[in-house]
Amino acid sequence: MMITKNNEYDVVVIGSGAAGQAAALTAKENGNSVLMIEKGRHTGGSANYSEGLFAVGSYLQKEKGINVSASSVLKEEVEYSKYKADSRIWKKYLDSSAENVKWLHDEGVEYEGVQAMGAGEATWHIYKGFGDAVIHKVLQPKFEKIGGELLTSVSAINLKTNYDGSKEVTIKDEATGDIQTIKSKVVILAAGGYLNNAEMMAKETDYDLSRLIPVSSGKGTGDGLRLGWSVGGQKAGTGMAMLFGGYLKDPDQPSFKMMESQMNVAAGQQPLLWVNENGERFVDESVIYNFSFAGNALYSQNKVYSILDSSIIKEMAENGNFMGLGVYVKRGQKMDKLQTEIDEAVAQNKPYIFKADTIEELAEKMNLPKDKLKATIDQYNSFVEKGKDEDFGKDSKYLRSVVKAPFYGFKLNIGAFCTMGGLKVTPENELEDQNGDPIKGVYATGNDAAGLAGDTYGPNMPGTCAGYAFYSGRNAAQNAQKYLK
């Protein structure tokens, strides 16, 4: 039984997130027959939850007088990656980033503005309605309107390249189990990485997965990598997930629900007081301003807890937080729901929260050494009085005494948005084989492509992952057009 309308296409796009949608629409606007398949029932993947994309030199930045040097970004990013990132890929991405923002705008995407994240640069172009609106109000409707074919609940289970240059994609209807093999001149992989494939995560990364909380669409299961590797694509750049600091694990609800929680942000995203399983501080907590570094720091200990007293909860409620979480809870936002959320979590006996009237009682509830935790907090309070963190040098503006009961402890896990890397690509996003030669007509984009990052994501230039997804999808389709001609 036929799953698709046709047996042959110019371009088949596997995945319907930011990279897939950009690739499919660009290829269709170039006059090709295009099939985009999505294994889930809904399109967009994790891109639906993205807030904005990276660019330098955009029309929005120029309107605001924001000047970020492309050459400085290139230098900073490759040095940050310890030169594991590909400078050629970064340069081409940077050179196209302003046009990328303009293309989305011309297609119909509306922006709220440009902002920074943490201590980073103002490169984050925030779109209205999150990525969900970009995809479902703009890109996908236009793709279908101009004749693109979209299939949901259809997965790609095999990819083959033929001597004549054609490709064969075997697809499966997830609802009926029907299988069909179609031919295509070009295949673009845009399946979104492997964060949600526990077996691949265990094999390809060193993270303690019992502490890692994926906050994504749940569909990043490594399909694109598996297909790319099967046709000889060179494996590269695995092992990195985009960590984003402390995150509370609630077994009673989906992980993404915590994104909008003021309690979650207060517990895991503030430069206040963290202790490990021995009741000891272990880092300058203002590392949270680089959320990826914060994730690394949390992983340096076996367990991590944050501790808040009632006075800092009141301060954040009245004056605002120190550090937000993207646009879900904004930086400086008054935490007017914080105490209520905390009280509800305590009343429901959630496993991540502990409340006590004394530090000794709190230590007992968290199963930490009483004497050690008390000594740690006494010393920390002395640093507050002196106005100097003599252990880790944290800026005094983040020092707050832990003195007013009741006290609250929070068990922190580590949040992760996605993985990045897996398939080595040329600057044209074409797959490279084991010898470094291009596999003609097969492209990897977005989180399936290596070359953008090292072992740690760089949030100082916010939006680079989402921006690269849109850019690489377009880049692949534009270069595929040259290949088709």
Side-chain angles (χ1 to χ4, degrees), residues 345-366:
V346 171
Q348 295 170 15
N349 198 30
K350 294 293 185 181
Y352 53 76
I353 190 169
F354 309 88
K355 177 182 178 182
D357 291 323
T358 67
I359 295 300
E360 291 85 353
E361 182 189 1
L362 187 66
E364 185 175 353
K365 289 187 175 182
M366 293 193 295

Side-chain angles (χ1 to χ4, degrees), residues 38-49 191-198 201 213-223 254-256 416-419:
E38 165 58 52
K39 71 177 180 181
R41 290 178 297 165
H42 306 289
T43 55
S46 296
N48 287 329
Y49 315 116
Y194 58 98
L195 180 66
N196 307 113
N197 185 323
M201 287 292 292
I213 304 178
V215 183
S216 66
S217 67
K219 294 184 287 188
T221 53
D223 298 2
S255 296
F256 69 85
F417 287 127
C418 63
T419 58

Side-chain angles (χ1 to χ4, degrees), residues 28-49:
K28 190 60 193 172
E29 288 178 333
N30 285 338
N32 298 298
S33 58
V34 182
L35 170 67
M36 176 166 53
I37 64 171
E38 165 58 52
K39 71 177 180 181
R41 290 178 297 165
H42 306 289
T43 55
S46 296
N48 287 329
Y49 315 116

Side-chain angles (χ1 to χ4, degrees), residues 196-210:
N196 307 113
N197 185 323
E199 183 178 343
M200 284 187 71
M201 287 292 292
K203 181 179 179 181
E204 303 295 343
T205 77
D206 295 325
Y207 301 123
D208 176 358
L209 301 185
S210 69

Side-chain angles (χ1 to χ4, degrees), residues 81-279:
S81 77
K82 305 180 187 71
Y83 283 83
K84 292 180 179 178
D86 190 321
S87 297
R88 303 169 306 156
I89 289 173
W90 258 106
K91 186 178 187 309
K92 193 171 181 187
Y93 174 28
L94 285 163
D95 290 346
S96 302
S97 62
E99 197 273 331
N100 201 36
V101 168
K102 182 69 162 51
W103 176 76
L104 285 169
H105 172 265
D106 291 345
E107 295 289 358
V109 172
E110 297 182 60
Y111 296 97
E112 291 186 1
V114 187
Q115 68 180 63
M117 176 185 286
E121 297 281 0
T123 61
W124 205 16
H125 295 65
I126 306 299
Y127 24 68
K128 293 182 180 179
F130 291 82
D132 178 68
V134 174
I135 289 169
H136 296 113
K137 292 185 178 180
V138 180
L139 302 185
Q140 184 175 313
K142 187 165 187 179
F143 171 70
E144 294 185 280
K145 183 178 180 180
I146 63 176
E149 184 178 352
L150 169 65
L151 295 175
T152 57
S153 297
V154 172
S155 59
I157 60 175
N158 193 48
L159 174 61
K160 179 183 177 183
T161 55
N162 298 320
Y163 288 112
D164 64 358
S166 66
K167 288 83 188 169
E168 294 181 11
V169 184
T170 302
I171 61 176
K172 177 182 177 182
D173 186 318
E174 293 294 325
T176 65
D178 291 337
I179 292 175
Q180 178 186 348
T181 297
I182 55 177
K183 277 194 172 185
S184 182
K185 298 171 185 174
V186 167
V187 173
I188 299 177
L189 304 173
Y194 58 98
L195 180 66
N196 307 113
N197 185 323
E199 183 178 343
M200 284 187 71
M201 287 292 292
K203 181 179 179 181
E204 303 295 343
T205 77
D206 295 325
Y207 301 123
D208 176 358
L209 301 185
S210 69
R211 299 173 62 197
L212 191 73
I213 304 178
V215 183
S216 66
S217 67
K219 294 184 287 188
T221 53
D223 298 2
L225 305 190
R226 176 178 54 79
L227 294 172
W229 292 336
S230 74
V231 293
Q234 185 181 151
K235 184 177 181 179
T238 58
M240 187 275 274
M242 189 197 296
L243 309 179
F244 63 93
Y247 204 79
L248 302 179
K249 185 175 183 179
D250 187 338
D252 300 321
Q253 62 180 4
S255 296
F256 69 85
K257 290 283 189 181
M258 277 289 183
M259 290 293 287
E260 298 179 352
S261 165
Q262 293 185 3
M263 174 181 60
N264 181 59
V265 172
Q269 303 293 319
Q270 304 307 309
L272 296 168
L273 176 60
W274 296 347
V275 299
N276 64 14
E277 67 275 12
N278 298 316

